[in-house]
Structure formats: C-alpha cells, structure tokens
C-alpha cells in the first residue's frame, strides 16, 4: 500500500438473526448501521492520506454495505452475478479485523472462486485493460498507473498468471504482487530475467507514484507533468535524482521512466495480447 492509496473494504457478517439488546434489531440492519458509523468515523479528506473505497462489494454501489456470508457465497460462485473482473480483484482480499473464523471462511470462499477450475478468459481481461487505457488516459499524456507499461500492466500480468496457475499451485495465491512474482519464478512460470525486470519496474513505478502524489498533493492525478516543467524537476528531486544542473537530473528521470514502462509494456504485450 503506497502513499495516499485507496483502502478497499468488504464488510461481511455471519448470517441472519437479531441483536439481544433491549430493542431487537435484525442483523442486516444492525451491521448496515455499524458500517455507516465506521465509514463516517474514519472519514478522510478528499485528498487525504488514505481514502476508503467500498465499491467492490457485491452489486457495487447498488448493494448494501454489510453483506451476509451466504449472500457473498451465492454472488461469488460459478452461477453467481460477479463480473469477470471481480474474480481478479478478489486476489487482494484478506482478513484485517473481526472474527478470525468468519474471515477464514471468506478467504476459503475467495480461493474457490478465484482459483477454481473455471476457465479464465484472457481475451476479455485484455479487452478490459485496453478499455481502461482509452477511457482513463487522455491522448498525448502519460499516466504512470494506467498508460501502457504503467503499474497496472505489472499487477494485471501477475494476477492473470495467478489465476492461470493458482488452481494447481497454492504458493502463487498471495495478495502481494512481489511475493506472487517470486512464487511464479520458482515454479518456472516466469524466467529469472523477467522476474528481475518486473520486480525492478514495479518498485520503480511504486516510488514514482508516491513521489508524484507528494509533489502534486493530489492522490488521483497520476499524469506525468511535462518533462521540461518545474514540477518535473521537483519530481526528480523527490525521487532522489541529483545533479548540479537540475534539468540534467530531470532528463535522467525521464529516460528511466521510458525504460521501465517500455520493458513492462513489451512483457505484457508478448505474454498476453498475442494470446487474446
């Protein structure tokens, strides 16, 4: 989790029933109110350190904040209503609070849904990636996260491979991108060279995103400033590039950005786009 990252939350309760207080309340109503209180209590500024995101719950913004376990069990099933991208998104899910027993049941459900024997449609996944670029990246700019070769290309590449091989190899079932990369290399699903490049590129792009957010004071604007701008010089300084002449440091950063993103793009394209 980087500087000013979104924190994506999924609230799950065990099942139907009522509270045992003076005025009985159905579990669904009780936990919905509790979730609302939690979100208000941890409310961050619009451009604060972290932003809570609950849109990945079943049915998205149309669904309730608190979801019963049986409901998510039905939603995240072969016959459920979950979209293909939700299978990919659940890779990152892990218990952070509440009942350990319930959390383990949810994580087991995640594994059955994400790493089950159902086919993984790479073509649809790659089409989604292309749509992200066309919808989220204006012409003529570089978005460090969403442009071709950006951070998302590494995260999605790893997630595609996790779904593809996670059915047979539990070692790749990690919510950590770097841990999954190491596991895929150990299994021979990635070459040593590709693992090393993706590791370097991932760490570089993560640092770049954090630095850009700090320099700009905006967590969501990840478009690179013009390479000849004062803002880009500030970005180079934040990244630790040093030179007597600051434009020289900025030029070095520009070359490194191009190198890391070009390597990432070549890997993603050769590994997945030619298969779709």
């Amino acid at each position: 989790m980087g500087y000013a990252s979104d924190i994506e939350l999924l609230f799950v309760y065990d099942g139907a029933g009522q509270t045992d207080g003076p005025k009985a309340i159905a579990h669904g109503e009780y936990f919905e109110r509790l979730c609302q209180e939690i979100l208000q209590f941890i409310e961050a500024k619009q451009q604060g350190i972290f932003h809570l995101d609950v849109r990945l719950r079943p049915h998205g913004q149309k669904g309730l904040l608190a979801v019963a376990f049986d409901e998510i069990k039905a939603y995240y099933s072969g016959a459920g209503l979950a979209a293909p991208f939700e299978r990919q998104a659940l890779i990152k899910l892990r218990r952070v609070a509440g009942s350990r027993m319930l959390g383990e049941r949810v994580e087991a459900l995640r594994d059955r849904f994400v790493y089950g024997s159902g086919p993984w449609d790479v073509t649809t996944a790659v089409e989604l990636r292309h749509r992200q670029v066309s919808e989220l990246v204006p012409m003529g700019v570089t978005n460090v996260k969403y442009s071709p070769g950006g951070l998302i290309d590494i995260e999605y590449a790893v997630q595609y491979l996790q779904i593809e091989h996670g059915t047979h190899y539990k070692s790749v079932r990690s919510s950590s991108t770097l841990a999954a990369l190491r596991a895929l290399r150990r299994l021979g699903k990635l070459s040593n060279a590709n693992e090393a490049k993706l590791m370097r590129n991932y760490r570089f792009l993560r640092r770049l995103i954090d630095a850009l957010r700090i320099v700009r004071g905006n967590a969501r604007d990840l478009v690179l400033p013009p390479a000849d701008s004062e803002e880009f010089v500030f970005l180079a300084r934040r990244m630790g590039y040093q030179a007597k002449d600051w434009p020289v440091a900025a030029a070095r950063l520009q070359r490194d950005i191009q190198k890391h993103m070009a390597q990432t793009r070549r890997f993603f394209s050769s590994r997945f786009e030619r298969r779709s």
Side-chain angles (χ1 to χ4, degrees):
M1 188 165 63
Y3 178 83
S5 294
D6 284 352
I7 300 176
E8 295 168 338
L9 297 178
L10 175 63
F11 296 102
V12 183
Y13 64 94
D14 199 13
Q18 291 184 325
T19 62
D20 58 0
K23 182 180 179 180
I25 302 174
H27 281 177
E29 181 182 354
Y30 172 81
F31 286 112
E32 186 71 12
R33 291 185 186 180
L34 177 61
C35 291
Q36 292 171 356
E37 290 289 334
I38 292 172
L39 294 178
Q40 290 175 8
F41 180 74
I42 315 179
E43 182 180 4
K45 297 178 181 178
Q46 188 65 27
Q47 299 300 337
I49 300 301
F50 297 109
H51 176 71
L52 299 182
D53 187 347
V54 293
R55 293 174 298 173
L56 282 178
R57 64 190 186 273
H59 306 293
Q61 292 178 311
K62 296 180 180 179
L64 295 172
L65 292 172
V67 187
F69 178 79
D70 286 345
E71 292 180 38
I72 69 166
K73 185 177 180 181
Y75 185 83
Y76 297 121
S77 68
L81 297 175
F85 80 87
E86 291 179 276
R87 181 178 178 185
Q88 187 179 333
L90 281 191
I91 290 175
K92 296 289 189 181
L93 182 145
R94 63 189 186 278
R95 182 184 71 89
V96 295
S99 165
R100 179 174 179 176
M101 184 178 298
L102 178 59
E104 289 175 348
R105 289 169 62 198
V106 174
E107 289 174 343
L109 171 64
R110 170 207 60 200
D111 287 349
R112 290 195 297 272
F113 177 63
V114 174
Y115 302 111
S117 57
W120 172 239
D121 189 348
V122 175
T123 299
T124 299
V126 171
E127 288 174 353
L128 172 63
R129 176 68 185 109
H130 290 165
R131 194 159 66 248
Q132 277 184 336
V133 174
S134 63
E135 294 177 1
L136 300 177
V137 184
M139 291 290 291
V141 303
T142 299
N143 186 301
V144 181
K145 184 174 183 179
Y146 291 110
S147 284
L151 188 76
I152 284 290
D153 272 349
I154 302 177
E155 292 187 338
Y156 280 13
V158 173
Q159 290 165 11
Y160 297 170
L161 293 171
Q162 285 180 281
I163 294 175
E164 183 177 346
H165 301 292
T167 300
H168 302 293
Y169 303 102
K170 291 186 178 181
S171 61
V172 306
R173 301 179 185 182
S174 174
S175 60
S176 164
T177 299
L178 296 180
L181 271 171
R182 287 189 287 268
L184 289 163
R185 188 261 306 158
R186 286 194 293 266
L187 289 170
K189 307 305 179 182
L190 277 176
S191 68
N192 290 346
N194 280 332
E195 181 214 19
K197 285 180 183 179
L198 292 176
M199 286 273 195
R200 286 195 301 270
N201 296 347
Y202 184 82
R203 290 187 174 115
F204 176 85
L205 292 172
R206 270 291 181 195
R207 286 179 52 233
L208 181 61
I209 286 173
D210 287 347
L212 186 57
R213 284 171 168 164
I214 293 170
V215 166
R216 185 162 283 160
N218 186 322
R220 300 190 179 280
D221 185 1
L222 299 179
V223 172
L224 284 176
D228 58 352
S229 67
E230 186 177 9
E231 190 178 24
F232 198 88
V233 170
F234 289 156
L235 183 61
R237 293 173 63 181
R238 172 59 62 176
M239 287 285 289
Y241 286 74
Q242 297 183 0
K244 292 182 180 179
D245 186 0
W246 279 111
V248 173
R252 286 171 48 211
L253 173 60
Q254 175 71 357
R255 288 194 297 271
D256 284 349
I257 292 172
Q258 292 172 345
K259 179 187 72 174
H260 287 290
M261 293 186 71
Q263 287 179 349
T264 298
R265 185 59 190 161
R266 282 195 297 270
F267 173 83
F268 187 90
S269 178
S270 63
R271 192 69 181 254
F272 301 106
E273 291 182 333
R274 295 176 186 176
R275 293 168 51 183
S276 63

